[in-house]
Amino acid sequence: MTQTRTISLPDATQLLTRAFVANGVPQGTAASVARALAAAEAEGQVGHGFSRLADYVAQVRTGKIDAQARPVCRAVSETLLAIDAGNGFAFPALDLAVRNGVLLAQRTGCAVMAVSRSHHSGALSVQVDRIARAGLIGLMVANTPAAMAPWGARTPVFGTNPIAFAAPRADAPPLVIDLSLSRVARGKVMNAKKSGKPIPEGWALDAEGRPTTDPEAALSGSMVPIGEAKGTALALMVEILAAVFTGATLSADMPSYFTADGPPPGSGQFLLALKPASGAGFAMQMEALVGQILAAEGARLPGDRRLKALERAQQNGLDVPVHYLDGAEALANG
């Protein structure tokens, strides 16, 4: 069993910030990235939390991530914003996109945010939750380095290409749905590799298209899509929105998020913020729908585990593997 140590959410954010600043990342950018990693860790999405720190720092050192980049937002039309992340971290660009997109959607009813020249965007739930807490419906998709083959093929063309959706509720946290289009997020496979653990059968195939429990073989092969052919059809939709629409790099042409060598990945993210057309009636309809789901025996709302994990993290802190915390301290202290 992996040994863990408990750290409060504020202390985790501060430690991550220090680690980035000590490695040449400007304070504002470091804080943005640290907040996103700590938030993912708090949600239980450990593949997007502390486990990413060493990889990010290595890429800053080689220039694969431009730590000095400052995202730029321009209005393409009344409801479309284009955000250039400048081959830097994704999170400052997403902060800018969400901040400006929320204001635009509250004024016009709709905002589309197209992010290009970006990087790994972590837990998409973190971004759509922010949109929903502003009283809007949020949708986000992102393309990632190729890890999933079209159904029936062996060569990866699509990333795990995640989708997240959030809707506000009147007297409860937003309903948040977050899923990758592979059976599990690829970050879980990388986390297993770093922890020296096998992965369950059914997550991935090796380079010859055979089921594997070896994370190293899985990373050299392809991820299994959800819903078989339907999963890869959804991945194609995400690829069109996140890469073709935004002008970002296609998944098949994108270098790995996990290695320090190579050019910047140039990823794309597509976000949508909508003001409910039903106005004040939205909250009533939303609660009626939630009530119908919860009335069904054995049913639970999507995101319930995430909310419980967040509550535990806020009350009791994060249980982070000791080797990740020790690594963060070492980076923070030079």
Side-chain angles (χ1 to χ4, degrees):
M1 177 176 277
T2 303
Q3 186 180 0
T4 63
R5 190 161 69 235
T6 302
I7 182 171
S8 72
L9 192 50
D11 285 349
T13 306
Q14 184 181 59
L15 173 58
L16 289 163
T17 302
R18 286 173 44 226
F20 285 120
V21 169
N23 286 274
V25 180
Q27 178 71 34
T29 299
S32 172
V33 179
R35 284 192 300 269
L37 297 191
E41 194 81 41
E43 291 186 359
Q45 298 207 49
V46 296
H48 297 309
F50 270 86
S51 66
R52 295 280 175 166
L53 174 61
D55 292 332
Y56 281 2
V57 169
Q59 291 176 61
V60 166
R61 290 173 175 170
T62 62
K64 190 172 184 176
I65 297 174
D66 181 358
Q68 307 304 316
R70 297 175 66 89
V72 176
C73 179
R74 66 181 176 87
V76 177
S77 68
E78 185 180 5
T79 57
L80 172 60
L81 302 175
I83 298 91
D84 181 354
N87 288 324
F89 284 103
F91 305 109
L94 292 171
D95 288 345
L96 183 62
V98 170
R99 183 166 62 249
N100 289 351
V102 162
L103 292 174
L104 182 59
Q106 288 172 334
R107 187 174 77 250
T108 67
C110 172
V112 176
M113 296 141 274
V115 182
S116 62
R117 293 210 300 162
S118 191
H119 196 269
H120 173 246
S121 53
L124 274 58
S125 53
V126 173
Q127 311 303 332
V128 294
D129 180 86
R130 294 160 67 193
I131 294 172
R133 289 183 185 276
L136 305 167
I137 294 169
L139 174 70
M140 179 177 175
V141 299
N143 82 321
T144 61
M148 196 162 62
W151 187 247
R154 292 184 184 180
T155 304
V157 171
F158 308 118
T160 56
N161 288 15
I163 299 174
F165 172 90
R169 296 183 61 189
D171 299 308
L175 172 70
V176 177
I177 300 168
D178 185 358
L179 57 118
S180 67
L181 296 179
S182 55
R183 193 165 291 177
V184 297
R186 200 164 187 241
K188 291 187 177 181
V189 178
M190 177 55 72
N191 193 47
K193 177 188 172 185
K194 291 179 178 180
S195 302
K197 297 179 178 178
I199 59 172
E201 189 166 322
W203 280 17
L205 308 175
D206 66 15
E208 301 302 317
R210 299 170 301 205
T212 183
T213 59
D214 178 356
E216 186 80 50
L219 291 169
S220 299
S222 61
M223 303 295 293
V224 174
I226 61 169
E228 300 181 339
K230 294 178 182 178
T232 53
L234 286 170
L236 173 57
M237 291 167 56
V238 169
E239 192 74 16
I240 292 168
L241 288 172
V244 180
F245 177 82
T246 66
T249 305
L250 294 174
S251 290
D253 299 326
M254 196 184 298
S256 173
Y257 287 151
F258 297 122
T259 59
D261 60 324
S267 313
Q269 290 100 35
F270 172 97
L271 298 91
L272 179 65
L274 297 171
K275 183 186 290 186
S278 52
F282 179 85
M284 186 181 303
Q285 285 278 78
M286 187 70 187
E287 293 315 303
L289 175 58
V290 167
Q292 290 171 353
I293 295 168
L294 295 179
E297 185 177 351
R300 66 175 181 86
L301 282 179
D304 272 0
R305 291 174 185 165
R306 169 182 171 272
L307 289 175
K308 289 174 182 174
L310 279 171
E311 186 176 354
R312 283 194 303 272
Q314 289 160 356
Q315 292 180 355
N316 305 319
L318 305 172
D319 293 326
V320 181
V322 169
H323 64 279
Y324 286 149
L325 289 177
D326 288 346
E329 288 285 0
L331 288 170
N333 296 324

